[in-house]
Amino acid sequence: MCMCFIYCIAGGSGRLSAIFLIINAALGAGLLNFPQAFDQAGGIVTAIIVQAFYVTLTLLYMNVCVSSKFDFPAFIFVVVLSSVHGVDFCHYWYMNRSFTVAVTSCAFILPLCYSKRIDFLKYVSSLGVVAVLYIVALIVYQKCMGNFVPGPIKTSPTNWTDVFLVVPVICFGYQCHVSVIPIYACLRERTMANFALCSSVAIFVCVAAYSLTGIFGYLTFGSFVTSDVLESYSGSNAIVLIGIVAIAIKTYTTYPILLFCGREAVSNLWTNLLYSNESDVAIREPRRRVAIATVWFILTLVLALVSPDIGSVINILGSLAAIFIFVFPGLCLMQSAFPLHLNKDKLKLVAGILFILLGTFIFGVVFVQAIIHFYENPIPSIKLCV
């Protein structure tokens, strides 16, 4: 946090830039998994209620965090290439998933990972937000104008535990708590009231995007919907093909924001362990920034290439996101409660403990469900090529 303030001391971001950065940090490829999550949770009503509960807590916890993905387009290119060339595209080396993902990521994502200030990414974030809005409009349009025959549509969960099946997607979808700290640090008007306004507007846009995608995507395909809803459409349709390219662009603009936070955390740890002189920290900052970003990028690229499908990734990362959304803010609340002079301090302590317990419970349930899913479905749900 302190290094973020140093980097952002001059100038700063306006409200619109901060809103775009928060939206871009939260909205990602997880958007495409919402329709299937609505089906798994037991229908639209159940999923919306669960989402409303988490959104309320998300807004609260984002402000608590301040006051105290990998997201590579690995699966997007599969759909593009399969639609344009055919299902045997991966037999050509220049269209093989490993080659296309590695080359495009190095060309379009890696250069953005070296920015010193997170507000530099506000320009690409605006492009990412426009891309998401197109995806949402596309899914709504296809429901209204298409001739799709949906599978069975649920109106209630089969088992009460099914409501937890939507939790990984929601946690993954609204996970931007780590990113908001440097975004706040780069605000031109650095006040809690201003940040609360920016975060509320950003989350409202996210809620609208996720809800419309989940509702209309699920009503279009019902239980036939895939983990990546775009795969359920015909890639030969020009407007669908544009949407596939748009979500690829979106993932390009999201990853640098998430890497920035991890990079600064590692950099802080690095400097605290190895340097005692502030001048050495400043002099070696460019070399340290490039080294950390490059290693981080390579490791996550490898992870993206070996991951079977987006649904599997979200199940695991969604459980971990529960830690960021509940446990870490709970720890912040507990820390801000000491010393216990007033009754409100005691309430903060109790609230912090409850948040930690809730986050631990959700993490455990969701993680176990993900393991059971892997055990019962060992074969990836997405067949990348034939």
Side-chain angles (χ1 to χ4, degrees):
M1 179 80 164
C2 58
M3 293 188 70
C4 292
F5 275 112
I6 293 173
Y7 295 159
C8 299
I9 194 70
S13 303
R15 289 177 180 172
L16 187 60
S17 298
I19 290 171
F20 281 162
L21 284 167
I22 295 173
I23 293 174
N24 213 28
L27 281 173
L31 177 78
L32 306 179
N33 194 236
F34 260 73
Q36 188 183 68
F38 274 42
D39 177 63
Q40 293 173 337
I44 294 174
V45 174
T46 303
I48 290 295
I49 291 174
V50 175
Q51 182 181 210
F53 171 74
Y54 280 96
V55 166
T56 302
L57 296 180
T58 294
L59 276 173
L60 171 63
Y61 297 166
M62 283 172 62
N63 288 277
V64 168
C65 286
V66 169
S67 63
S68 341
K69 295 203 170 122
F70 72 98
D71 204 8
F72 280 103
F75 312 105
I76 306 301
F77 278 103
V78 173
V79 184
V80 172
L81 294 177
S82 177
S83 301
V84 174
H85 184 274
V87 293
D88 63 339
F89 68 92
C90 71
H91 298 300
Y92 299 85
W93 67 269
Y94 52 87
M95 288 191 289
N96 185 276
R97 173 174 174 259
S98 299
F99 177 79
T100 56
V101 171
V103 170
T104 56
S105 297
C106 290
F108 300 114
I109 298 179
L110 185 58
L112 297 175
C113 296
Y114 297 130
S115 61
K116 187 175 182 179
R117 296 164 52 113
I118 196 171
D119 56 350
F120 167 78
L121 300 172
K122 61 188 177 184
Y123 305 107
V124 295
S125 292
S126 60
L127 180 62
V129 172
V130 172
V132 167
L133 295 179
Y134 179 86
I135 296 296
V136 176
L138 170 66
I139 292 173
V140 174
Y141 174 80
Q142 290 285 46
K143 166 57 184 172
C144 297
M145 306 300 295
N147 296 314
F148 300 96
V149 179
I153 296 178
K154 297 179 182 178
T155 57
S156 61
T158 304
N159 301 303
W160 73 271
T161 55
D162 288 350
V163 298
F164 291 104
L165 294 175
V166 76
V167 171
V169 180
I170 293 177
C171 288
F172 183 81
Y174 287 98
Q175 167 53 26
C176 57
H177 297 60
V178 177
S179 304
V180 298
I181 295 176
I183 293 173
Y184 171 80
C186 285
L187 275 174
R188 186 179 301 118
E189 183 185 345
R190 211 171 291 128
T191 64
M192 286 304 301
N194 189 41
F195 175 76
L197 175 62
C198 294
S199 60
S200 298
V201 173
I203 294 300
F204 174 79
V205 174
C206 292
V207 170
Y210 284 133
S211 298
L212 289 174
T213 300
I215 292 172
F216 284 88
Y218 182 50
L219 290 177
T220 302
F221 301 106
S223 61
F224 297 155
V225 69
T226 58
S227 62
D228 180 346
V229 68
L230 287 181
E231 289 195 335
S232 300
Y233 300 106
S234 173
S236 59
N237 190 329
I239 62 173
V240 173
L241 194 59
I242 294 173
I244 295 171
V245 174
I247 198 64
I249 294 173
K250 173 65 186 70
T251 58
Y252 287 141
T253 63
T254 300
Y255 180 86
I257 297 177
L258 306 180
L259 182 140
F260 179 92
C261 302
R263 189 193 75 200
E264 292 308 304
V266 174
S267 182
N268 270 298
L269 180 61
W270 186 332
T271 55
N272 289 335
L273 292 177
L274 300 181
Y275 304 130
S276 58
N277 192 316
E278 291 187 5
S279 61
D280 291 339
V281 173
I283 292 173
R284 300 182 183 182
E285 189 277 331
R287 185 187 307 172
R288 185 173 61 251
R289 170 164 32 103
V290 171
I292 296 173
T294 303
V295 172
W296 191 293
F297 175 85
I298 292 173
L299 292 177
T300 49
L301 176 59
V302 171
L303 181 61
L305 292 176
V306 301
S307 299
D309 75 337
I310 193 172
S312 302
V313 172
I314 289 176
N315 283 337
I316 295 296
L317 294 186
S319 63
L320 296 176
I323 301 295
F324 289 98
I325 292 179
F326 297 101
V327 176
F328 288 170
L331 292 173
C332 292
L333 265 179
M334 290 182 63
Q335 183 180 19
S336 66
F338 293 100
L340 299 174
H341 292 312
L342 304 173
N343 288 331
K344 67 176 183 179
D345 296 327
K346 297 178 181 178
L347 290 176
K348 285 183 179 179
L349 178 62
V350 173
I353 294 173
L354 291 177
F355 292 165
I356 293 172
L357 292 176
L358 178 61
T360 304
F361 170 76
I362 292 174
F363 167 76
V365 171
V366 171
F367 186 77
V368 169
Q369 285 182 323
I371 297 300
I372 294 174
H373 174 77
F374 285 141
Y375 179 77
E376 295 178 347
N377 304 274
I379 301 175
S381 60
I382 295 179
K383 192 173 184 181
L384 300 180
C385 188
V386 297

